Amino acid sequence: MTAPVHIIGAGIHPFGRTQERSGREQGVYAVRQALEDAGLEWSDIECAYGGSSASGSADIMVNELGLTSLPFTNVANGCATGGSALAAAQQAIASGMYDLALAVGFDKHPRGAFNAKPSDYGLPEWYGQTGMMLTTQFFALKIQRYMQLHGISRETLGRVAVKAFRNGAKTPHAWRRSEIDLETVLNAPVINDPLTKYMFCAPAEGGVALILASEKKARELGARGVRISTISVRTRPPDSFEVFQPAVSINDGGKPTVLASQAAFEGAGMGPEDIEVAQLQDTESGAEIMHMAENGFCKDGEQEEWLTNGWSNSDGKLPVNTDGGCLACGEPIGASGLRQVYENVEQLRGRAGERQVPGKDGNGPRTGYSHVYGAPGLSAVAILER
């Protein structure tokens, strides 16, 4: 058994576009907010883990925060960068080496879809020449296949987006803060069939910081935090069908999200039925639908009933993406996974304002689940408890 670890400070820089601040400056903003939340100074932090995809090395933040000579490790793991930074910080404290750690992520992406180089992922140039490195195209093909296999309608894709923008309208850190009706979502310009422009997230800007403490230190500080029950990170197994994969196997392989989810539930000693609020990777509407099943919250094909009945709404039996997710917040790669955990911290501490969910007993949720997925096929899951 590892020692308990708590999140005692949380900070966020609003997502979207902030012309006057660089990505790193947005990360610094989030760190200072988290320090204030925890009642700490930068000099109190004993180690740090952070990442960015487009805004330089995270460790350069010490130029603004202070040169305290702490060990600061840069993390790069695609969209799972934030989740991986959190896992590293949690492990550093659970090992007994440190009592206070920082997990931070930030980014500032240019406009337009992500379009990586094939060589960066061990792929030949022909893969990029087909257009498959353009993530919108890959995700559209993947959800087309899933819809045909499991009877998911285009209206269900639209309902995911409607829910996201409704939640985002109540979220101060969200980028898209206007509700959009189902007809508008479905009739919007198609980016890649079957997904319209309102069914995709956009590369964005933002920063998130979380301060972690050992149980001894949290008690010493009198901190009101939440406990990290477990964190699990898994990469793709054989025959899985993941982003930037040049072919679909004839075998029905496993999935990194399924593996990470199963390991997380086992580590926490609980099951999907015990989760009261969940943040799932939703780079586009189809991703949330597929990840509902991959994380064990429903069976393949049941999402049609879930979305029709509003079961994943904020007042439903399992609120999903309560701050609007990537669809409403956008996706700064380094910060996105930590935003999910930030949202669960706010929900479990009863600080979510208009978007606060009631929980099973009406006194707020006691458990929070976050899942992030990154190219070329890795997932991180974190379960928090109040």
Side-chain angles (χ1 to χ4, degrees), residues 241-265:
F241 179 43
E242 310 303 329
V243 66
F244 301 151
Q245 189 165 317
V248 180
S249 173
I250 60 173
N251 298 316
D252 185 13
K255 301 176 177 67
T257 294
V258 172
L259 298 178
S261 178
Q262 290 174 345
F265 282 127

Side-chain angles (χ1 to χ4, degrees), residues 20-328:
E20 65 273 19
R21 288 196 183 105
S22 69
R24 187 178 68 250
E25 288 170 337
Q26 293 179 46
V28 169
Y29 178 103
V31 171
R32 288 175 173 156
Q33 194 180 83
L35 288 168
E36 182 179 357
D37 185 37
L40 296 172
E41 301 294 331
W42 172 242
S43 57
D44 295 320
I45 304 301
E46 299 171 5
C47 65
Y49 300 84
S52 165
S53 173
S55 296
S57 298
D59 67 307
I60 307 302
M61 299 172 77
V62 299
N63 290 347
E64 288 90 356
L65 292 168
L67 304 177
T68 63
S69 74
L70 88 168
F72 199 131
T73 303
N74 292 307
V75 179
N77 227 355
C79 297
T81 292
S84 299
L86 182 66
Q90 186 261 353
Q91 291 162 8
I93 292 179
S95 71
M97 289 184 64
Y98 303 101
D99 284 314
L100 287 170
L102 169 73
V104 61
F106 57 87
D107 249 313
K108 189 180 184 78
H109 299 295
R111 287 174 169 79
F114 294 122
N115 191 16
K117 296 179 181 179
S119 59
D120 290 345
Y121 291 87
L123 292 168
E125 287 303 311
W126 68 257
Y127 189 78
Q129 291 166 0
T130 67
M132 292 301 294
M133 290 302 291
L134 190 65
T135 51
T136 61
Q137 185 154 301
F138 176 89
F139 286 132
L141 289 174
K142 188 171 184 179
I143 190 58
Q144 274 188 21
R145 181 172 184 266
Y146 189 87
M147 291 168 71
Q148 292 169 8
L149 288 173
H150 302 292
I152 301 298
S153 67
R154 213 166 152 266
E155 285 71 20
T156 294
L157 292 178
R159 289 189 179 97
V160 171
V162 170
K163 172 177 65 68
F165 294 120
R166 182 171 60 244
N167 291 346
K170 301 175 182 177
T171 304
H173 64 253
W175 183 10
R176 311 298 190 191
R177 301 200 60 198
S178 299
E179 294 191 36
I180 303 177
D181 62 78
L182 181 60
E183 183 179 358
T184 300
V185 170
L186 294 176
N187 293 326
V190 173
I191 303 300
N192 289 101
D193 187 38
L195 300 166
T196 71
K197 70 175 185 177
Y198 293 122
M199 297 177 188
F200 278 107
C201 80
E205 306 174 15
V208 181
L210 301 172
I211 295 174
L212 283 62
S214 65
E215 188 162 86
K216 175 184 175 183
K217 192 66 174 181
R219 287 178 177 175
E220 178 186 312
L221 294 170
R224 181 178 176 264
V226 298
R227 184 169 71 89
I228 299 175
S229 181
T230 188
I231 296 178
S232 174
V233 181
R234 293 291 187 272
T235 56
R236 62 200 182 282
D239 299 319
S240 61
F241 179 43
E242 310 303 329
V243 66
F244 301 151
Q245 189 165 317
V248 180
S249 173
I250 60 173
N251 298 316
D252 185 13
K255 301 176 177 67
T257 294
V258 172
L259 298 178
S261 178
Q262 290 174 345
F265 282 127
E266 182 178 353
M270 61 178 70
E273 68 280 359
D274 298 308
I275 301 301
E276 298 185 45
V277 60
Q279 317 302 326
L280 307 180
Q281 182 81 348
D282 63 329
T283 40
E284 31 76 31
S285 293
E288 179 176 318
I289 288 172
M290 291 184 285
H291 290 146
M292 287 172 65
E294 290 182 17
N295 285 281
F297 296 115
C298 69
K299 294 180 180 179
D300 291 318
E302 290 182 350
Q303 301 96 325
E304 192 82 6
E305 183 181 19
W306 270 71
L307 271 297
T308 300
N309 293 330
W311 291 345
S312 57
N313 291 347
S314 292
D315 58 353
K317 64 180 182 180
L318 179 65
V320 174
N321 291 333
T322 48
D323 66 350
C326 292
L327 292 179

